[in-house]
Amino acid sequence: MDPKYQACKILMLPWLAHGHLSPFLELAKKLTDRNFQVYFCSTPVTLNPIKENHFKNNLISSIQFIEINLPCTQELPPNYHTTKGLPPHLMPVLKTAFDSSKEKFRQIIRLLKPDLLIYDFVQPWAPEIANQENVEAVVFTTFGPSANAFLFHYIVNPDKDFPIPEFGFPERKICEIIQFLDNLSNGLTDKERFLQCMKKSRFVIVKTLLNGVESKTLDYFSCLVGKEVVPVGSLVQDHLEIKSSDSETIFMDWLNKRDFSSVVFVSFGTEFFLSKDEIEAIAFGLELSNVCFIWVIRFPRGQNLSLDEVLPKDFQNRVEERGIVVQGWAPQAKILSHPSIGGFLSHCGWSSTLESITFGVPIIAMPMQYDQHLNARMVAYIGVGIEVQSENDKFSEDEISRVIRQVVLLDEGKDVRKRVQELSAKIKENGDQGIEVVSKKLLQLVKKS
């Protein structure tokens, strides 16, 4: 632990999604290295795999895991107290259940007596309770600064164009990107939750690459919310921290037999589920590209589908010499850090985007929803990937194949491959500059209070 920082107790409360839990956990690890005591609060179903992995990898830290139990109903049993595998129609139900746990959260705060709360953008009741209990509160938004600035702009200035031209979208696409902010649960839209969480925070923590275009959106986001926005860095887990398991060895052994930068990793995150048409387009695109691949396909809980039911007939037989298709899970960080990986066919979730760039892997961008369109636009703008173009919101196998080959094989993609390697080196060179700044800001806030 770093002796520069005095002991300070921080309670963390992320939203119940893997894309939120993971960066919160990485931030927790960084803070414990600097003598902060971190209490990481979530539901049992989200904490159990984290605690198991935490124990397995023997991570030396002061993180203590605190369970918060949501109400159980027939519609929302305990195994649904997470967004992972959650049927989409139950998302408002989960948010309502999370809201109803606020008095239990108050009891946790009174028991632990933390100096500070770090919370997410979904639960405005959390900073409200913290303030009532004389605890300072800071929001950590797991979207990138560009997505935050874009979304916040259209919340407060819906009739004005976004002033940063790199993110110019047609009106139809803007409506599509921001429509999720109108999702309603427990009488609150996500827009209202977002606004309230920003308003109740002392300052805002955001994870970012700290490159040129993001510096502009970071400044604009700060101006919009009227608060200091502090970049913490990419918060990508070092793959060397992760111990190998028997299931991971299968992927590593297969990759070890492939040429340098010759394989595409295909994954669309833990909480987006491809339609049968999208799966078929990707399958035929991979087949046409003639590039080796590892492809992870996920289904919502309760859908007892098999790969044979959704993949084109005989697809796995035709590609068995150069491709692996796996249902459910693969060790993404380990795979992306392997030297045989030459591209990442991704939905451009922010965590996946940062992970790919950190490991120096160029991105084949296929955004599907929410902030992913903004992340894909940024990926293309800074030159670390190429976006697969859709027509009438549909992706064609020919376009998927074309972009895969361009990114991984062809001379016309060499600038992208070079640029992502340069940015990866810069991220490693910057090290933990962002976390140092955030740590000092948090400590200053606690001292003032």
Side-chain angles (χ1 to χ4, degrees), residues 119-145:
Y119 63 98
D120 214 327
F121 89 104
V122 174
Q123 57 269 30
W125 45 267
E128 182 178 304
I129 290 172
N131 290 335
Q132 290 168 359
E133 301 297 328
N134 297 314
V135 175
E136 294 288 359
V138 173
V139 67
F140 171 33
T141 170
T142 57
F143 296 132

Side-chain angles (χ1 to χ4, degrees), residues 28-68:
K29 292 177 190 175
K30 300 287 188 183
L31 291 174
T32 58
D33 289 341
R34 287 153 180 82
N35 207 29
F36 291 89
Q37 169 65 60
V38 176
Y39 300 97
F40 196 91
C41 183
S42 194
T43 55
V45 71
T46 62
L47 287 182
N48 288 339
I50 293 174
K51 288 191 285 189
E52 181 182 338
N53 187 58
H54 188 79
F55 176 77
K56 180 181 75 174
N57 291 324
N58 194 28
L59 299 174
I60 302 171
S61 72
S62 300
I63 302 172
Q64 292 188 34
F65 298 102
I66 308 297
E67 292 185 356
I68 185 166

Side-chain angles (χ1 to χ4, degrees), residues 73-251:
T73 63
Q74 186 173 359
E75 189 177 29
L76 202 74
N79 62 310
Y80 274 4
H81 292 174
T82 171
T83 63
K84 187 176 181 180
L86 185 74
H89 75 278
L90 290 178
M91 192 68 72
V93 181
L94 179 60
K95 287 177 185 171
T96 299
F98 198 38
D99 289 350
S100 66
S101 68
K102 62 183 180 181
E103 288 308 314
K104 292 180 181 177
F105 184 67
R106 185 189 301 276
Q107 293 170 16
I108 289 171
I109 284 188
R110 287 177 174 175
L111 176 67
L112 298 177
K113 295 181 172 57
D115 299 301
L116 181 75
L117 169 69
I118 298 179
Y119 63 98
D120 214 327
F121 89 104
V122 174
Q123 57 269 30
W125 45 267
E128 182 178 304
I129 290 172
N131 290 335
Q132 290 168 359
E133 301 297 328
N134 297 314
V135 175
E136 294 288 359
V138 173
V139 67
F140 171 33
T141 170
T142 57
F143 296 132
S146 301
N148 273 299
F150 189 91
L151 294 172
F152 212 84
H153 169 89
Y154 283 104
I155 289 173
V156 299
N157 300 307
D159 299 323
K160 294 183 180 179
D161 292 336
F162 190 61
I164 300 172
E166 292 89 343
F167 294 90
F169 288 96
E171 184 67 29
R172 182 188 64 81
K173 180 58 70 176
I174 291 171
C175 292
E176 179 185 324
I177 292 170
I178 65 173
Q179 67 181 356
F180 82 96
L181 292 171
D182 292 323
N183 291 340
L184 184 69
S185 53
N186 198 28
L188 284 175
T189 63
D190 283 351
K191 181 191 303 183
E192 291 167 323
R193 291 175 183 271
F194 191 24
L195 280 168
Q196 289 182 31
C197 283
M198 293 299 159
K199 182 179 180 180
K200 294 171 182 176
S201 180
R202 288 292 190 175
F203 57 86
V204 181
I205 302 173
V206 64
K207 60 175 187 167
T208 173
L209 292 168
L210 293 174
N211 63 69
V213 68
E214 284 212 298
S215 295
K216 286 194 283 187
T217 54
L218 194 78
D219 291 342
Y220 185 53
F221 180 45
S222 178
C223 179
L224 287 170
V225 298
K227 297 179 187 291
E228 183 179 12
V229 178
V230 185
V232 73
S234 58
L235 292 179
V236 170
Q237 183 179 13
D238 187 342
H239 68 285
L240 297 175
E241 289 182 5
I242 310 169
K243 289 187 178 180
S244 296
S245 64
D246 291 340
S247 58
E248 294 169 5
T249 302
I250 297 170
F251 297 102

Side-chain angles (χ1 to χ4, degrees), residues 315-332:
F315 171 75
Q316 294 195 80
N317 290 331
R318 295 195 300 271
V319 300
E320 65 178 350
E321 294 299 320
R322 62 180 180 89
I324 294 178
V325 185
V326 58
Q327 182 174 334
W329 178 86
Q332 181 164 304

Side-chain angles (χ1 to χ4, degrees), residues 260-261 336-338 341-344 353-363 384 416-425 427-428:
F260 176 76
S261 292
L336 287 175
S337 63
H338 195 283
I341 295 296
F344 184 13
T353 299
L354 291 178
E355 203 166 44
S356 194
I357 296 170
T358 299
F359 291 132
V361 177
I363 297 169
V384 296
V416 168
R417 298 190 288 270
K418 179 182 177 183
R419 175 60 179 149
V420 76
Q421 288 291 332
E422 290 172 347
L423 197 46
S424 173
I427 290 169
K428 293 179 176 68

Side-chain angles (χ1 to χ4, degrees), residues 422-440:
E422 290 172 347
L423 197 46
S424 173
K426 187 175 180 181
I427 290 169
K428 293 179 176 68
E429 181 184 329
N430 288 339
D432 282 343
Q433 289 180 11
I435 193 66
E436 290 292 338
V437 174
V438 167
S439 297
K440 290 175 183 176

